[in-house]
Amino acid sequence: MKEKLLNKLNALFKEAIESVEEFRGELTLIIKREYLLQTAQVLHDDPELKFDSLRDVCGAERFLPGDRFEVIYNLYSIQNKFRLRLKVHLPENDLHIPTVSSIWTAANFAERETYDMYGIVFDGHPDMRRIYMPEEFEYHPLRKDFPLMGIPGSLPLPRK
């Protein structure tokens, strides 16, 4: 399956793939942001690949200069019994990425969670608003620069 997948993607979007990694039998493709929708559509629609299950979308902070954040898509092809991880790196000064919720509806909730926790904006999302934190809360709690004990006074708490 791995060879079929890589051959097909290289034939269609060779310039989209920044790198390919494999760890413990699981394949990870790091792709460029501008090719995310095209790549996702092919992975979903191609009858041989058929990645019909988006298991999770999450953000991560790499804490590296340059592309500080990344969005990770965990995909599964039920037909092929094959897992694939897509990663897209994002620079701190441009945290916008297109939504894949039109391809996999399961992305809706997970993209909102990623927005709430990391501040990554999914352009074209049908309901891009916070999911855990209040809308007026100006911070994103899973960023590494967010204090572990929170920011005093930033969030009204119920009285004891």
Side-chain angles (χ1 to χ4, degrees):
M1 177 66 188
K2 183 179 92 176
E3 290 76 26
K4 183 184 350 177
L5 169 69
L6 290 174
N7 289 338
K8 192 160 276 206
L9 290 180
N10 275 326
L12 293 170
F13 314 111
K14 185 176 177 79
E15 65 280 0
I17 300 172
E18 289 184 359
S19 66
V20 178
E21 300 169 1
E22 188 171 358
F23 181 72
R24 295 189 177 178
E26 291 196 9
L27 189 65
T28 300
L29 300 178
I30 299 172
I31 61 171
K32 294 178 183 170
R33 171 180 23 194
E34 56 268 26
Y35 293 98
L36 173 64
L37 284 181
Q38 296 168 301
T39 306
Q41 197 72 60
V42 166
L43 291 170
H44 181 267
D45 294 346
D46 188 280
E48 289 183 297
L49 303 177
K50 199 106 173 119
F51 282 92
D52 46 5
S53 180
L54 175 72
R55 298 296 169 101
D56 194 18
V57 177
C58 61
E61 184 170 352
R62 304 170 65 223
F63 213 58
L64 297 171
D67 295 335
R68 179 176 166 191
F69 295 95
E70 65 186 6
V71 178
I72 304 160
Y73 302 86
N74 291 301
L75 306 173
Y76 187 69
S77 170
I78 296 170
Q79 171 182 298
N80 297 307
K81 298 178 178 58
F82 189 80
R83 292 183 188 281
L84 174 66
R85 186 176 300 113
L86 288 182
K87 289 184 178 182
V88 178
H89 294 163
L90 300 172
E92 182 177 6
N93 61 359
D94 185 13
L95 294 178
H96 287 260
I97 187 168
T99 181
V100 294
S101 62
S102 62
I103 300 169
W104 295 287
T105 54
N108 188 323
F109 185 88
E111 287 180 346
R112 285 181 59 194
E113 184 179 39
T114 302
Y115 164 69
D116 197 7
M117 295 294 115
Y118 289 98
I120 296 169
V121 178
F122 293 86
D123 296 329
H125 191 282
D127 189 18
M128 187 86 296
R129 60 189 163 100
R130 299 193 92 136
I131 202 162
Y132 300 119
M133 305 306 290
E135 280 296 324
E136 63 274 6
F137 193 67
E138 61 185 281
Y139 306 100
H140 301 283
L142 289 184
R143 287 186 175 191
K144 292 188 185 300
D145 55 3
F146 188 82
L148 285 178
M149 298 303 290
I151 298 172
S154 65
L155 190 63
L157 298 174
R159 302 179 112 199
K160 289 185 179 179

